[in-house]
Amino acid sequence: EEPRLDHRLVQAEVSSHGVVEEAKRTAEQQVASDEALVQQKALGLIRREKTAESTALQFRNVQTPEITLNPAVKKNARSPQLRANDADQGIPTFTNGWTAWGDIWGPVTYTVRGLLCFVTGLAKAGIWTNAAIAELPDKCRPSKRVVFSLNNHAEPSHVEVSKLGMIEWKGGGRSHGWLSLSGIVFAAD
């Protein structure tokens, strides 16, 4: 008797062979797709790198224009170069019971250097409200009212310097009987 083939087994084998072939094709397509993606990313990086190099080269080749001052301005301008002996220093005139704290804190001073006026030092409190702390000389006055936030231990103090050179406490901290005037800097008029 001749052996009989079971058609179901033959169909299963053919079918499984088809599945394997399909899986191989899918894997090959995925690999090809991944390779294409890697190539695209590499090209993108190369393009970005070339763009960055081109931009850097453009900036390296930029020439800055020469800046010149109008002769009239140049003639009237004060020199921005400062030397220690160019400074004018003094002690402001205290008012309304205010004084320099002194001791290890040193005096309260103003310094005019070039176009700037600096005030430094620790002041011992006098009358706080509606009263000036000190008056600065003519050479150390702003062209307009200027506002500062200065140290009064735990709280900042609102201090202003008027066009007349009056240093005034306007609000904020006023505890501990002192006020630091360090930090007052403005263009002298």
Side-chain angles (χ1 to χ4, degrees), residues 88-92 94 99-102 105-113 117-124 133-134 136 140 148 150 161 167 179-186:
D88 184 11
Q89 193 171 31
I91 296 173
F94 286 100
T99 61
W101 192 272
W105 305 107
V108 171
T109 61
Y110 68 85
T111 304
V112 179
R113 182 171 285 147
C117 180
F118 303 82
V119 180
T120 59
L122 193 66
K124 188 181 279 188
I133 296 167
L136 296 168
C140 188
F148 301 94
L150 300 178
V161 179
I167 301 173
L179 177 64
S180 173
L181 299 179
S182 296
I184 295 178
V185 179
F186 55 87

Side-chain angles (χ1 to χ4, degrees), residues 12-64:
E13 191 175 314
V14 169
S15 177
S16 68
H17 181 69
V19 169
V20 169
E21 289 301 316
E22 182 62 31
K24 280 184 185 178
R25 276 194 303 276
T26 303
E28 287 170 356
Q29 288 172 350
Q30 186 64 43
V31 167
S33 174
D34 289 348
E35 286 175 352
L37 184 62
V38 167
Q39 286 177 346
Q40 286 175 347
K41 286 185 178 182
L43 285 174
L45 289 174
I46 291 168
R47 282 189 199 113
R48 276 182 263 171
E49 188 176 289
K50 285 184 179 181
T51 302
E53 286 173 3
S54 171
T55 303
L57 186 60
Q58 287 172 357
F59 279 114
R60 271 189 239 122
N61 293 330
V62 170
Q63 294 185 2
T64 55

Side-chain angles (χ1 to χ4, degrees), residues 128-145:
W128 287 92
T129 54
N130 299 320
I133 296 167
E135 182 179 2
L136 296 168
D138 290 343
K139 58 188 162 196
C140 188
R141 292 186 179 174
S143 61
K144 61 182 179 184
R145 182 171 287 273

